[in-house]
Amino acid sequence: MIAGSRLAASRRVSGIAGVVLTGFCSALAAGLLIVILGYVVVQGWSAINPAFVTQLPHPVGVSGGGVANGIVGTLIIVALATLMAVPVGVLTGLYLAIYGRGLPAECVRFLAEVLSGVPSIAIGLFAYTILVQPFRHFSGLSAAFAFAVLMLPLMIRTSEEAIRGVPTAIREGALALGLPDYGGVIHVVLPAARPLIVTGLLLAIARVTGETAPLLFTAFGSQFWEVNPGNPMAALAMQIFTYAISPYDDWHRQAWGGALLLILAVLVLNIGARWALRGRTKRS
Amino acid sequence: MSTELDSPRTLTAARGRAAQRGLTTRQAVSDRAFRVALLGATLLFVALIAGLFVELVHGSWESIVTFGAGFLWSSEWNPVTNHFGALPFIYGTVVSSAIAIVIAGVVGISAAVFLAEFAPAVVARPVSFFIELLAAVPSVVFGLWGLFVLAPILSQTVEPFLQRYLGFLPLFSGPIYGVGLFTAGLLLALMIVPTVAAIARDLIQAVPNELREASIALGATRWETATRVVLPSARAGIVGACVLALGRALGETIAATMVIGNRPAISASLFAPGYTLSSVIANEFTEATSSIYLSALLELGLILFVVSVVVNGGARVLMWSMLRSLGRRP
């Protein structure tokens, strides 16, 4: 504090009170994570056993069973979504980074920002109208499409930032060595930008792994093993939702178990994304 | 730090020299193919967003034609007689999001001020990390926690307390269910606090140090500097951050569905069950039997989409204008 001796006491007190109050709000927000994690770990731990992760759901009234088909379904849907989102996202990011000056490019950036705020359920409806309604049945593929659309804004933004972060000198060097434009980009710029792009991808995967809303009318859910994405599929997040709002205690227990698995996956992806950035200073 | 990758002069010169040497046709063709691929991906992305809007309008056309603008203020939702109106859902969405943004705004901005202005790095770094991870917690997990932990706590302690002292207000009267608008609003607040806190912190940090130094030199305390100099210069951006978070609350589906009670009624009491636009879609979409029912649900989705575009577009403009006025590139 400056000129402490001459500062009026009331001003000093209000300053201290302010810092304490804002500090309390920070602790509240950060503590909430610990509280939620704590509940999920304590409640979910008892539900986790080998059967839970290897068996199919049991019918209502038969206790036991697991969410194995949901885990596999989530993996398949997220993998397909990644396959769809990565090419479009990275190429659009490249376009914006390399040719992205002027109004059209600004519009594309703005669209990406706006799309990142569109509710996932609206994107689920879109997937329903173009991939479920025409074929008259629910499918894992339509869920993957909805997830891909959800991943795109983050993929585009991080790819563009990553590529812009590669110094111009490196790219000029590639040109000077006689590499054509695309060669320079593919062999020099993309490898240099890869860690940041991977970070963005991991964050995008983390975001959709926990998504539930668009799945309700795309993947729809299934009680069986389903590995064909042309059919309705189970997904972990949706199983948690269904179990949580059911009236059965055993299903509530399984919902907590599923939540523990889901939150672990999402946290590992998030921490992995930060780890991929290790040693890099954040943009100023 | 954000360098223009395509620094025009050097690259054009390099290309020119390559052309003089006689770039092989194969290379020229591949270069063009590469450029077309990039442009193609970008156009595909734009087409997707256009398709999203067109499909929602197309799907809700039957409902738009049948109910017209009255859809927005009719409160009847009756699948048996095929009369549909969105008002109860708009009401539930607006009330729960309003509760959420008031609470999350206060807590989030306070946390941002603390983290950006007062906390030493040893404290700020882990706290920021926790807050950012909180943003990553899936909404179904928030919903689960809200349903089994938050709702019972509220219905046994907080809501009776509010009712005893503020029960004369219609807002806090009526029976307590545990699930309802208040619980949903509070849960949504917890979900969007990280958004407000993280963005507001970044924006506060973007305020140039000269302003702080000048204020301290004039004899202000650090608290006075933070609240009267730094916050006002970041005001537009912070409002933008709050609007962005509001957009998230408006569209949040699963967590709201689990704790709001899912009853299409408009009641003055915050403790009463309600329904949001997104949760009625989540609950009823796969059960919609008639085409007009499906179309009405799609129109709810269209309303959500349009509102989110307006809200997010506005938020971005606010944040850009702040960073621009501070002379920084967003």
Side-chain angles (χ1 to χ4, degrees):
Chain A
M1 289 286 160
I2 47 112
S5 55
R6 297 178 55 193
L7 213 57
S10 67
R11 290 173 66 202
R12 203 180 314 161
V13 168
S14 73
I16 292 170
V19 174
V20 169
L21 274 178
T22 54
F24 174 73
C25 286
S26 309
L28 202 67
L32 187 64
L33 176 74
I34 298 169
V35 169
I36 291 180
L37 273 182
Y39 268 103
V40 172
V41 170
V42 168
Q43 302 270 350
W45 190 250
S46 65
I48 305 267
N49 52 46
F52 187 67
V53 292
T54 54
Q55 289 188 1
L56 289 178
H58 284 177
V60 176
V62 183
S63 71
V67 292
N69 59 344
I71 298 173
V72 172
T74 296
L75 289 177
I76 293 175
I77 293 169
V78 170
L80 284 173
T82 307
L83 286 181
M84 290 187 241
V86 165
V88 180
V90 172
L91 289 179
T92 306
L94 262 176
Y95 176 82
L96 291 176
I98 299 180
Y99 307 109
R101 274 167 300 176
L103 192 61
E106 277 305 322
C107 288
V108 174
R109 282 188 198 107
F110 190 71
L111 281 180
E113 297 285 354
V114 166
L115 183 63
S116 73
V118 171
S120 58
I121 194 152
I123 290 167
L125 290 176
F126 175 45
Y128 174 88
T129 57
I130 69 165
L131 286 175
V132 175
Q133 217 168 20
F135 302 104
R136 305 218 155 271
H137 70 99
F138 298 103
S139 65
L141 194 67
S142 58
F145 173 77
F147 277 6
V149 175
L150 281 167
M151 290 169 78
L152 271 178
L154 195 59
M155 287 303 306
I156 292 175
R157 196 174 63 228
T158 49
S159 304
E160 187 192 351
E161 274 179 14
I163 292 156
R164 268 181 196 282
V166 177
T168 314
I170 291 185
R171 195 151 164 259
E172 286 169 356
L175 276 173
L177 288 170
L179 278 174
D181 252 7
Y182 73 93
V185 169
I186 289 172
H187 297 297
V188 179
V189 177
L190 274 183
R194 192 164 35 196
L196 252 176
I197 296 179
V198 169
T199 300
L201 177 62
L202 290 177
L203 289 177
I205 290 177
R207 181 181 169 197
V208 295
T209 302
E211 266 300 341
T212 315
L215 294 175
L216 296 170
F217 33 83
T218 53
F220 191 69
S222 161
Q223 291 297 103
F224 314 106
W225 278 114
E226 190 54 78
V227 290
N228 177 0
N231 292 329
M233 284 179 110
L236 185 57
M238 205 169 23
Q239 287 174 326
I240 298 171
F241 175 64
T242 317
Y243 287 180
I245 59 173
S246 76
Y248 313 109
D249 281 341
D250 189 49
W251 277 16
H252 294 167
R253 198 177 51 82
Q254 297 201 20
W256 284 105
L260 179 57
L261 294 181
L262 192 66
I263 213 166
L264 279 179
V266 169
L267 290 185
V268 164
L269 283 165
N270 266 277
I271 293 170
R274 273 153 234 265
W275 185 75
L277 274 183
R278 71 198 180 283
R280 275 160 194 272
T281 48
K282 273 187 79 178
R283 68 204 152 83
S284 52
Chain B
M1 164 75 208
S2 74
T3 48
E4 235 3 91
L5 180 59
D6 204 357
S7 84
R9 251 169 289 132
T10 43
L11 284 183
T12 315
R15 281 198 197 101
R17 280 194 296 280
Q20 273 166 16
R21 276 204 318 274
L23 203 62
T24 61
T25 340
R26 210 180 52 119
Q27 272 187 1
V29 169
S30 326
D31 263 359
R32 182 162 305 160
F34 176 65
R35 198 183 277 234
V36 166
L38 297 195
L39 187 63
T42 310
L43 291 178
L44 180 63
F45 170 68
V46 174
L48 267 179
I49 298 183
L52 172 55
F53 179 66
V54 169
E55 278 295 323
L56 285 179
V57 172
H58 177 75
S60 44
W61 195 247
E62 189 181 346
S63 163
I64 295 174
V65 170
T66 312
F67 304 115
F71 186 72
L72 295 176
W73 54 79
S74 159
S75 58
E76 194 182 353
W77 186 263
N78 191 338
V80 179
T81 59
N82 276 333
H83 278 291
F84 298 101
L87 194 63
F89 313 111
I90 294 176
Y91 176 79
T93 304
V94 168
V95 171
S96 58
S97 300
I99 298 173
I101 196 61
V102 169
I103 299 172
V106 172
V107 175
I109 295 173
S110 304
V113 169
F114 179 76
L115 293 174
E117 296 290 315
F118 299 108
V122 196
V123 178
R125 204 162 298 148
V127 171
S128 298
F129 180 64
F130 276 23
I131 293 180
E132 278 163 33
L133 280 188
L134 184 63
V137 172
S139 66
V140 69
V141 176
F142 267 108
L144 185 68
W145 183 81
L147 183 60
F148 290 117
V149 182
L150 185 66
I153 292 176
L154 289 181
S155 68
Q156 279 151 28
T157 58
V158 179
E159 291 181 353
F161 175 82
L162 285 171
Q163 195 155 56
R164 181 172 325 149
Y165 294 103
L166 297 167
F168 58 91
L169 294 171
L171 282 182
F172 300 109
S173 57
I176 291 170
Y177 298 87
V179 292
L181 292 167
F182 182 74
T183 310
L186 191 59
L187 188 64
L188 289 175
L190 303 181
M191 296 178 71
I192 63 176
V193 155
T195 310
V196 179
I199 302 179
R201 183 202 57 202
D202 288 350
L203 292 168
I204 291 172
Q205 280 170 345
V207 172
N209 255 333
E210 290 85 341
L211 288 177
R212 295 188 185 85
E213 288 158 7
S215 162
I216 300 270
L218 286 171
T221 63
R222 281 178 65 191
W223 174 250
E224 287 161 349
T225 303
T227 51
R228 297 185 200 171
V229 176
V230 177
L231 271 185
S233 36
R235 191 192 299 133
I238 291 176
V239 172
C242 290
V243 176
L244 203 68
L246 175 68
R248 205 148 290 174
L250 290 170
E252 174 49 48
T253 308
I254 288 299
T257 306
M258 290 165 88
V259 297
I260 202 165
N262 297 333
R263 199 176 70 186
I266 298 178
S267 33
S269 170
L270 295 182
F271 300 152
Y275 223 152
T276 69
L277 289 167
S278 51
S279 38
V280 67
I281 302 174
N283 277 330
E284 300 189 2
F285 198 79
T286 49
E287 291 159 14
T289 39
S290 62
S291 77
I292 184 78
Y293 191 5
L294 202 65
S295 183
L297 287 166
L298 279 163
E299 190 174 351
L300 297 181
L302 179 66
I303 296 173
L304 265 181
F305 174 77
V306 171
V307 168
S308 75
V309 167
V310 170
V311 163
N312 278 284
R316 300 291 166 184
V317 169
L318 280 170
M319 289 194 288
W320 281 354
S321 76
M322 171 209 152
L323 289 171
R324 217 155 266 153
S325 73
L326 290 174
R328 297 193 176 211
R329 209 181 168 284

